[in-house]
Amino acid sequence: MMRTVPNESSGPRRPPLLWEQHCCLPLERCADVGELARYRRPGGSFVSVNVGYVPHSAEDVTGLIASWRQRIAADERLRLAASVDDVEAAGRAGDVAVAFDLEGSGPLDGQLDQVRHFYDLGVRTMTCVRFPNSR
């Protein structure tokens, strides 16, 4: 779901922020994270990238995030975003702010403390859907 969010400030009016809540790259460590640069827009953009769902283990997702974080940090068009301030700074610079999401709670492997682990890695949203016959 892609949205634009008006920038409410007392300064000069900027174009609205583009917010893509759930986009996907191939769930492979070698996926081209540079594809996220397609979201660059005047006014800034925030992209939440899916890093796993029900069949993926915590180990799978942790490895994927580690690989993607390293390459996102090395791409001058992208910025890892841990907070709203990071999203705003990326927008001012014309960069794409990137966070991660989980589609379902399967990668938690039934361990609630994994929420903190994934948060520390940059996961900011997670659906808690359990599918029939899932782990």
Side-chain angles (χ1 to χ4, degrees):
M1 167 188 336
M2 211 177 328
R3 296 184 184 259
T4 56
V5 180
N7 290 314
E8 311 259 340
S9 70
S10 58
R13 186 172 170 98
R14 290 189 343 222
L17 171 76
L18 173 74
W19 180 342
E20 171 62 85
Q21 180 53 44
H22 180 78
C23 77
C24 297
L25 294 171
L27 292 173
E28 302 167 348
R29 293 180 187 199
C30 63
D32 181 6
V33 298
E35 289 290 321
L36 300 174
R38 72 180 183 261
Y39 290 100
R40 290 177 87 185
R41 300 285 188 280
S45 55
F46 169 77
V47 178
S48 183
V49 184
N50 178 271
V51 290
Y53 59 101
V54 171
H56 299 105
S57 69
E59 183 178 331
D60 295 335
V61 173
T62 298
L64 181 71
I65 293 173
S67 175
W68 288 7
R69 285 180 62 87
Q70 182 178 24
R71 288 182 294 119
I72 289 167
D75 189 315
E76 62 188 29
R77 304 164 297 175
L78 309 174
R79 289 192 192 197
L80 292 163
S83 68
V84 171
D85 290 340
D86 294 337
V87 173
E88 290 175 351
R92 286 190 300 275
D95 298 336
V96 178
V98 180
F100 304 115
D101 65 73
L102 288 170
E103 186 177 349
S105 58
L108 298 180
D109 291 336
Q111 313 260 333
L112 193 54
D113 60 333
Q114 290 286 42
V115 172
R116 171 50 91 179
H117 169 72
F118 287 124
Y119 179 86
D120 291 344
L121 293 174
V123 172
R124 291 297 179 265
T125 54
M126 174 181 59
T127 58
C128 292
V129 177
R130 296 287 296 195
F131 296 96
N133 300 322
S134 65
R135 314 185 251 128

